């Protein structure tokens, strides 16, 4: 996948690179956290606190060093309904929806920690390559579209001089991020670009949208605040409350884990290293639980900021820790400076992220891979843009599984022969499972077969209950026709489950340690054939 420059995979990172990359990430986290807090219908400080705690905790405890977590749009979209319904349950103006959100995050944390404890992170291996490509393409488009919102002022698209200034500053930022690595591959290109454009805007007096003006245009006041404070969510501790928040908690936990594990897999690929999905599940759960106790909106892994981090040289846990600590410093002491950073500089950085995230190799391989994989890539991309990541990935995996099942269903076949004793042999090839049972049954001619038939499964495998029931059905058909069948080389688990067939034939397990089971006494049968032949 051509999603990153070559140095991404080869660089082992360093403490200095982690510090620079973490600082750049911290700057990019601010508008994202603020934007997603507005999406969820909560205060910008709730979004910033959520990002702060997610970033720090997952950096220390997570299973993927270099990956950045924080408030995300995928989870914010679900939180909207939760906050609104929670507000409706309380008195007018009481903002009880926010308290219900915090209480829900406690349950989200529990679900995610249980996923880590029971080692469910390994199921990310079930995601096919085509789904992964659709995922990164869809996210790249989503990030791009979200940045276009920054070209609005007061809810309306910029026009005239403000638009040209914004576009020029974005282009300058992107150019700096392209040129700086050419001069020095170890230089923090994102941080240099943001600082350079910020200084240009401040000292030249260029009139353009800044972090402060962006927050104010969306109804906020700024990013200055204190430390997060501990508080038990003030909601009724009743079964009704639990019934209300549990569906939301399950959805948020699933979305958070899917996005985090998919991002982990992408970072693994780009850095040619391997993270721990189960450890990341635990860390995400702990971080969301802490958010519920300290007034943050929670979140999950952020692919955009993670790409910024690794392309800036961040590889270790230090990069995430620096990003979280820098964000805390911005909130406590340096808000007046960070609020002067032009939005255009941050948009330019995110546009570079879009370019590096999108799997451009998709266009090169479209004529070289099966058409079904092309369909899955396109579908997952579209669903990610239209709905959210969780729906897209689940649908992609289901469709890929159905395609796989259909293709394998067509592989079942039978080689037929009649030996010198008049016994007909069926040698079965290919997997026998729910999708191939009808084709399997069509291979047999019960009415015209001789009185004795051998069905050999040495080159086949019985995959599920549907296959077992099909064997039972076939045995019953031969029995009603007054004919005898011998089933060779069935697996031991099949022998235990074929109850109906045991009423027709005698089940005998032979001395083969690997995969050799027969329903009749195979040795005696072979000896009988040899005696008759002699």
């Amino acid at each position: 996948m051509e999603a990153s420059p070559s140095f991404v995979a080869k660089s082992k990172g360093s403490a200095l690179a982690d510090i620079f990359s973490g600082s750049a990430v911290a700057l990019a986290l601010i508008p994202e956290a603020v934007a997603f807090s507005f999406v969820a219908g909560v205060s910008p400080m709730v979004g910033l606190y959520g990002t702060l705690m997610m970033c720090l905790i997952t950096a220390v405890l997570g299973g993927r060093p270099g990956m950045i977590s924080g408030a995300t749009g995928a989870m914010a979209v679900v939180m909207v309904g939760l906050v609104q319904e929670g507000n409706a349950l309380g008195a007018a103006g009481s903002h009880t929806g926010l308290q219900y959100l915090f209480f829900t995050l406690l349950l989200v944390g529990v679900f995610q920690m249980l996923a880590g404890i029971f080692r469910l992170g390994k199921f990310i291996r079930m995601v096919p390559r085509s789904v992964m490509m659709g995922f990164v393409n869809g996210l790249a488009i989503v990030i791009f579209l979200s940045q276009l919102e920054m070209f609005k002022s007061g809810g309306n698209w910029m026009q005239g001089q403000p638009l040209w200034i914004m576009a020029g500053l974005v282009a300058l930022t992107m150019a700096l991020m392209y040129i700086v690595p050419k001069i020095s591959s170890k230089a923090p290109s994102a941080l240099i670009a943001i600082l350079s454009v910020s200084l240009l805007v401040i000292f030249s007096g260029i009139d353009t949208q800044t972090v402060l003006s962006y927050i104010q245009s969306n109804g906020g006041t700024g990013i200055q605040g204190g430390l997060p404070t501990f508080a038990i969510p003030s909601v009724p501790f009743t079964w009704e409350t639990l019934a209300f928040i549990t569906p939301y908690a399950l959805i948020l936990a699933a979305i958070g884990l899917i996005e985090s594990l998919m991002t982990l897999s992408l970072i693994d690929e780009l850095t040619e290293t391997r993270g721990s999905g189960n450890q990341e599940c635990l860390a995400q759960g702990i971080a969301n639980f802490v958010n519920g106790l300290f007034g943050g909106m929670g979140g999950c892994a952020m692919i955009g900021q993670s790409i910024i981090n690794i392309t800036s040289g961040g590889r270790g846990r230090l990069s995430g820790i620096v990003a979280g600590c820098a964000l805390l410093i911005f909130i406590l002491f340096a808000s007046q400076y960070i609020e002067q950073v032009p939005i255009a500089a941050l948009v330019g950085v995110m546009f570079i992220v879009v370019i590096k995230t999108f799997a451009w190799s998709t266009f090169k391989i479209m004529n070289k891979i099966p058409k079904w994989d092309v369909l899955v890539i396109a579908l997952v991309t579209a669903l990610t843009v239209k709905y959210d990541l969780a729906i897209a990935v689940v649908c992609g995996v289901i469709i890929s599984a159905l395609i796989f099942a259909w293709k394998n269903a067509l592989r079942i076949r039978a080689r037929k022969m009649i030996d010198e004793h008049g016994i007909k042999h069926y040698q079965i090839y290919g997997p026998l499972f729910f999708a191939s049972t009808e084709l399997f049954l069509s291979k047999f001619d019960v009415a015209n077969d001789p009185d004795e038939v051998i069905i050999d499964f040495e080159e086949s495998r019985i995959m599920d209950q549907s296959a077992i029931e099909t064997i039972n059905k076939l045995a019953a058909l031969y029995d009603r026709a007054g004919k005898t069948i011998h089933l060779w080389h069935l697996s031991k688990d099949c022998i235990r489950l074929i109850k109906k067939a045991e009423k027709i034939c005698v089940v005998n397990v032979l001395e083969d340690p690997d995969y050799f089971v027969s329903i009749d006494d195979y040795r005696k049968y072979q000896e009988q054939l040899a005696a008759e032949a002699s």
Side-chain angles (χ1 to χ4, degrees):
M1 179 171 58
E2 297 178 359
S4 58
S6 58
F7 74 86
V8 170
K10 297 177 181 178
S11 174
K12 295 181 180 180
S14 64
L16 187 61
D18 283 347
I19 293 172
F20 284 141
S21 62
S23 301
V25 166
L27 291 171
L29 284 172
I30 294 173
E32 296 286 309
V34 171
F36 295 142
S37 64
F38 287 132
V39 170
V42 299
S43 164
M45 291 309 303
V46 175
L48 288 168
Y49 286 151
T51 297
L52 166 65
M53 288 181 280
M54 291 297 302
C55 186
L56 278 175
I57 294 173
T58 57
V60 175
L61 303 177
R64 173 64 268 176
M67 191 166 75
I68 305 297
S69 294
T72 61
M75 296 185 71
V77 171
V78 178
M79 293 175 184
V80 175
L82 170 61
V83 172
Q84 291 177 346
E85 289 188 48
N87 286 333
L89 294 175
S94 62
H95 301 294
T96 54
L98 186 59
Q99 296 300 315
Y100 277 105
L101 171 60
F102 296 153
F103 193 62
T104 302
L105 288 174
L106 298 180
L107 198 55
V108 170
V110 171
F111 288 149
Q112 292 182 329
M113 284 187 280
L114 287 174
I117 292 171
F118 289 104
R119 308 183 68 80
L120 300 183
K122 61 186 178 183
F123 286 105
I124 196 65
R125 303 171 191 167
M126 300 293 291
V127 178
R129 174 66 178 173
S130 56
V131 175
M132 188 69 178
M133 294 188 74
F135 154 75
V136 296
N137 291 347
L139 274 181
I141 296 172
V142 168
I143 295 172
F144 174 76
L145 294 176
S146 69
Q147 297 310 302
L148 292 183
E149 293 296 316
M150 303 298 182
F151 286 83
K152 291 183 178 179
S153 179
N156 298 316
W157 291 100
M158 294 179 180
Q159 295 181 354
Q161 186 176 8
L163 175 60
W164 287 110
I165 292 175
M166 180 79 169
L169 293 174
V170 169
L172 176 60
T173 304
M174 295 176 68
L176 287 172
M177 289 193 66
Y178 177 77
I179 294 171
V180 169
K182 301 291 185 182
I183 300 173
S184 173
S185 61
K186 295 183 179 180
S189 58
L191 184 59
I192 291 174
I194 292 172
L195 292 177
S196 299
V197 174
S198 298
L199 292 174
L200 174 65
V201 168
I202 293 171
F203 288 106
S204 300
I206 298 175
D207 184 16
T208 187
Q209 186 168 234
T210 62
V211 171
L212 178 61
S213 63
Y214 172 76
I215 295 174
Q216 291 175 338
S217 66
N218 285 276
T221 57
I223 64 171
Q224 186 172 12
L227 289 170
T229 56
F230 176 84
I232 300 295
S234 87
V235 297
F237 295 98
T238 63
W239 286 111
E240 289 76 12
T241 297
L242 192 61
F244 166 57
I245 68 168
T246 298
Y248 282 108
L250 285 170
I251 294 171
L252 288 170
I255 291 174
L257 289 184
I258 291 173
E259 185 157 358
S260 297
L261 292 175
M262 292 290 284
T263 304
L264 182 146
S265 295
L266 177 62
I267 302 302
D268 280 356
E269 181 177 339
L270 294 179
T271 59
E272 297 182 358
T273 56
R274 185 176 180 84
S276 171
N278 295 316
Q279 185 177 342
E280 187 62 35
C281 290
L282 276 171
Q284 292 287 330
I286 294 171
N288 277 304
F289 192 88
V290 171
N291 264 276
L293 295 176
F294 284 87
M297 68 177 285
C300 60
M302 307 177 76
I303 187 170
Q305 280 66 24
S306 298
I307 295 294
I308 291 174
N309 191 38
I310 66 165
T311 54
S312 299
R315 293 292 184 278
R317 297 186 185 277
L318 181 60
S319 60
I321 295 172
V322 168
C325 292
L327 182 58
L328 178 60
I329 292 172
F330 296 160
I331 294 172
L332 295 177
F333 309 113
S335 60
Q336 68 270 29
Y337 302 112
I338 302 305
E339 288 170 351
Q340 297 180 55
V341 173
I343 288 293
L346 302 176
V347 171
V349 172
M350 295 308 294
F351 278 170
I352 293 294
V353 169
V354 169
I355 294 172
K356 293 180 177 180
T357 300
F358 195 89
W360 298 102
S361 59
T362 303
F363 301 110
K364 295 181 180 179
I365 65 174
M366 289 184 67
N367 296 326
K368 303 176 182 178
I369 61 176
K371 61 181 180 180
W372 293 112
D373 285 337
V374 176
L375 174 64
V376 170
I377 293 173
L379 180 66
V380 173
T381 300
L383 290 176
T384 301
V385 176
K386 179 65 176 178
Y387 299 103
D388 60 58
L389 169 65
I391 292 176
V393 172
V394 170
C395 289
V397 170
I398 291 174
I399 293 173
S400 296
L402 291 175
I403 293 171
F404 175 81
W406 175 254
K407 288 181 177 179
N408 279 274
L410 302 178
R411 293 181 179 178
I412 195 76
R413 60 192 189 278
R415 180 180 297 170
K416 308 167 188 178
M417 60 167 287
I418 298 178
D419 63 20
E420 63 273 18
H421 302 286
I423 300 174
K424 189 170 184 178
H425 293 251
Y426 287 89
Q427 292 178 309
I428 308 302
Y429 296 85
L432 181 58
F433 63 110
F434 67 92
S436 60
T437 54
E438 291 299 322
L439 185 59
F440 170 76
L441 287 174
S442 69
K443 305 294 182 182
F444 298 91
D445 187 3
V446 178
N448 299 316
D449 277 349
D451 291 338
E452 197 161 9
V453 173
I454 294 175
I455 306 175
D456 191 344
F457 288 92
E458 185 173 10
E459 300 299 329
S460 178
R461 290 295 181 269
I462 311 302
M463 308 298 292
D464 59 9
Q465 183 65 27
S466 296
I468 292 171
E469 289 300 323
T470 300
I471 295 174
N472 291 333
K473 180 179 179 180
L474 183 64
L477 289 174
Y478 276 104
D479 182 61
R480 284 197 296 269
K483 300 175 182 180
T484 302
I485 66 168
H486 307 275
L487 306 181
W488 290 359
H489 297 94
L490 285 177
S491 62
K492 294 181 181 180
D493 56 337
C494 289
I495 294 299
R496 289 192 297 266
L497 293 174
I498 299 179
K499 301 300 182 183
K500 296 178 183 177
E502 289 181 350
K503 299 176 182 178
I504 302 168
C505 308
V506 178
V507 178
N508 295 310
V509 180
L510 301 182
E511 296 178 2
D512 188 318
D514 297 323
Y515 198 87
F516 190 85
V517 180
S518 173
I519 286 187
D520 64 332
D521 192 334
Y522 181 76
R523 286 179 175 174
K524 292 181 179 180
Y525 179 72
Q526 290 288 75
E527 291 172 359
Q528 180 183 350
L529 288 180
E532 293 175 355
S534 62

